[in-house]
Amino acid sequence: MILGMSTATFTFLHVLISLVGIGTGLAVMYGFLRGYRMDSLTAVFLVTTALTSITGFGFPFTQLLPSHKVGIISLVLLAVAIPARYVFHLAGSWRLAYVVTAAMALYLNCFVLVVQLFMKVPALKALAPTQKEPPFLVAQLVVLALFIGLTILAAKRFRVGSAQPA
């Protein structure tokens, strides 16, 4: 039992929150690229991304795992992104700080998604049973390259003065 739920229910909730975070995060990234603020989706993205990391610590563990380290990094990124967006209203360098940290938090969720897909999908697990094989590494490098490119474009295209609510 975790927080009064079965482990299966808690896991389902954690995965659901993660997928909502990824989906809304991709929409927010699209907004960055198109110059839209995406106010409602941004709030959902930031909350669910934080909840993804927080709920990750709810699973039983006896030592700090790589997933916990990713969660800690994500929470640190969100500790910059959230005030940049809601306290400093994207003024000055806070715009760039917001875009970069929000994009990095989304990347970390996608990184974990790829890890989970290679652990849980039989065809992918067969290709990379230890996650040290080339298919896994190539998949992660493609995701990383994609996010580096998208983050650079987003940082150039998302301007507060011209950003419109969507």
Side-chain angles (χ1 to χ4, degrees), residues 16-90:
L16 181 63
I17 291 167
S18 300
L19 293 175
V20 170
I22 290 169
T24 56
L26 292 173
V28 168
M29 178 64 79
Y30 174 78
F32 289 160
L33 298 172
R34 300 290 302 184
Y36 299 127
R37 286 195 326 249
M38 313 290 270
D39 294 336
S40 297
L41 286 174
T42 294
V44 174
F45 162 63
L46 294 172
V47 167
T48 54
T49 300
L51 285 173
T52 296
S53 295
I54 292 165
T55 58
F57 289 97
F59 293 98
F61 64 96
T62 57
Q63 63 183 9
L64 194 64
L65 301 170
S67 58
H68 297 122
K69 293 175 185 176
V70 170
I72 291 167
I73 294 167
S74 182
L75 289 170
V76 168
L77 292 168
L78 293 170
V80 174
I82 292 169
R85 176 70 177 84
Y86 296 106
V87 175
F88 301 107
H89 306 287
L90 308 174

Side-chain angles (χ1 to χ4, degrees), residues 4 9 11 18 40 46 62 65 73 83 91 102 104 109 140 146-147 154:
T9 301
T11 301
S18 300
S40 297
L46 294 172
T62 57
L65 301 170
I73 294 167
M104 290 173 68
N109 275 352
Q140 289 292 19
L146 183 64
F147 269 91

